[in-house]
Each structure stands twice: as structure tokens, then as C-alpha cells.
Amino acid sequence: MGKLYLIPTPMGETAGWEVALPAGNRAVLDRIDCFVVENLRTARRFLARSGLSRPIDALSFTELNEHTRPEEVEAMLDPLLREGRDIGLMSEAGLPCVADPGALLVAAAHRKGAEVVPLVGPNSMMLALMASGANGQSFAFNGYLPVKPPERIKAIRHFERRATAEGQTQLFIEAPYRNRRLFDDLLATCHPQTMLCIACDLLEPSQYIRSQRIEAWRGSTPPPFEKRPAIFVLF
């Protein structure tokens, strides 16, 4: 039986390649010819840049994303279970299975008794938490908050209460074109003394990380996060 390797991918286009692809990961990549990926185009571009010894067209790809039906997932393990081939699982950016549908494949691999091998790589949530000054002993990643304003405001109040009452750091992400909307709602809703960190373009030359109280954010220039991946850390 083959193994399922969880392969991190870059979070941006210009980060140093030694950060995006450690030597150990490169060696694993070079011996895998079967991949399950979130986005085919992104995965092929990453593999082409990694300097594989084989042509990209010699590899096989299956997409696993938000459009994949749960009943389709186990069949993606057939090369591993029936042919003994290793499979590489890749997210569109960052770590597989974190804010990513890859967890369905990992769960299926465990049900079938296959070995799952996570590889080291960058994760935007952990990098933002490290750089925020927030409590790293207790934290929660909450993914995307609701899109509709009344529900989003309610969620912000709920997570701020948890941060205040339990000392638990709260992390969120948002679609880049909605960053400003979430930022404005945080400033309008949260207590002036609540801390907020904004972390954008992590590991990129344009990286931006800033932590300060809500009252200070209200009196400062908004972060330059239009159309940029950002992590929001509330504590």
C-alpha cells in the first residue's frame, strides 16, 4: 500500500523558494507521480517551478475542491490502495486540510488503513499568531465569518466575548475583496481596548503585520489589504 503525503505549497508567488519548498519536500515530490489537488492550474505551476525531473504531462491529477461530492473522495485513493503508488495531496495555497477540503481525503485514508505523512511548510494562521503578540496557548481558527452584516456583527460579538472571557485568541480569514468590510465591522463593533492584528502577504516582500487596540485602529490609516490575503487576529 502506498502513502498519502500532505504537501505544503507557497502562499504567494514571490517568496523565497527555500521557504516554499524545503529540500526534504522536494525529494518527496520528485518520486510521486499521482496528485490530488485543489486547483489543477495552481498545482501544475507549483510543480513546474519545483524543478521535477519528470515532465508535468507524465503526472496524473485529480481535483478535490468545494465542488467535489463526498462519495467521490474514496475513489481518489485507488492508485494508493490498488497499485501501491504514493499520492501527494496539495492545497491551492499553504497547508493541506487547513481551511481546505483535503481533510476528506485524509479521513478516507485513515478509514482504509493507509499511512498519512504530513510535510513541513508555511501556514498563514500560525505565522500570524506567532507575529501578533496574542495568546498562543489557547486559540481558535474560525475560518470565514458570515457575509450578511447582521450575522457577521453577531459573530464578531460572540468571538470577542470568548477572547475577553476565556483569553482565547480568535483568528479569521476573509476573501481579499471583502477585507475592508470585515475590518470596518470589527472597528465598529469591538470594544476600544480589544486588540486586533492584521497580517497580510505573509512571507512575501510586501508582508504587513500590525497589532494594536481597536481604538488605535480607529484613529489610523486602514491597512493596505485590498485584494491581498489577510489574517485577522482578535485578542
Side-chain angles (χ1 to χ4, degrees):
M1 184 183 294
K3 300 177 182 179
L4 176 62
Y5 286 91
L6 312 185
I7 302 169
T9 56
M11 296 184 295
E13 294 294 332
T14 56
W17 203 237
E18 70 280 359
V19 175
L21 186 61
N25 293 15
R26 190 187 301 267
V28 171
L29 272 180
D30 212 32
R31 66 172 184 262
I32 296 177
D33 61 7
C34 182
F35 294 91
V36 175
V37 303
E38 185 178 6
N39 181 284
L40 180 57
R41 182 180 178 186
T42 302
R44 288 175 65 93
R45 187 165 63 241
F46 165 64
L47 291 171
R49 189 181 172 195
S50 71
L52 294 183
S53 59
R54 289 160 293 162
I56 301 298
D57 290 340
L59 309 176
S60 63
F61 295 91
T62 304
E63 283 192 311
L64 170 57
N65 51 41
E66 69 273 17
H67 304 297
T68 304
R69 298 191 302 272
E71 60 269 23
E72 299 173 327
V73 174
E74 285 198 5
M76 297 178 184
L77 293 172
D78 283 351
L80 183 154
L81 298 173
R82 299 181 182 181
E83 303 168 30
R85 297 161 64 191
D86 292 334
I87 293 177
L89 173 64
M90 293 191 294
S91 173
E92 186 171 2
L95 299 184
C97 309
V98 180
D100 166 77
L104 294 172
L105 189 69
V106 172
H110 284 299
R111 288 195 297 271
K112 297 296 183 179
E115 183 176 353
V116 177
V117 184
L119 301 181
V120 67
N123 175 266
S124 58
M125 280 73 75
M126 293 298 98
L127 292 169
L129 178 62
M130 290 163 59
S132 67
N135 181 12
Q137 298 288 341
S138 177
F139 55 90
F141 172 58
N142 301 292
Y144 295 91
L145 297 188
V147 174
K148 295 182 178 179
E151 296 174 8
R152 188 166 60 245
I153 296 299
K154 182 178 179 180
I156 289 171
R157 287 174 175 155
H158 168 74
F159 291 122
E160 185 187 29
R161 283 195 298 270
R162 294 202 64 179
T164 302
E166 303 173 29
Q168 184 184 68
T169 303
Q170 306 295 318
L171 296 97
F172 318 99
I173 55 176
E174 185 51 278
Y177 70 92
R178 287 203 299 259
N179 282 339
R180 181 60 185 268
R181 207 174 308 167
L182 175 56
F183 176 75
D184 288 345
D185 283 344
L186 287 165
L187 266 56
T189 304
C190 293
H191 188 276
Q193 296 302 304
T194 295
M195 292 289 294
L196 173 64
C197 175
I198 307 292
C200 302
D201 286 350
L202 291 163
L203 300 184
E204 295 291 302
S206 57
Q207 175 175 283
Y208 172 97
I209 304 172
R210 188 172 183 182
S211 285
Q212 57 185 8
R213 299 189 187 281
I214 291 292
E215 64 180 359
W217 279 116
R218 289 172 180 165
S220 61
T221 302
F225 51 20
E226 282 73 14
K227 300 182 180 179
R228 299 167 68 188
I231 304 293
F232 297 79
V233 186
L234 200 66
F235 59 106

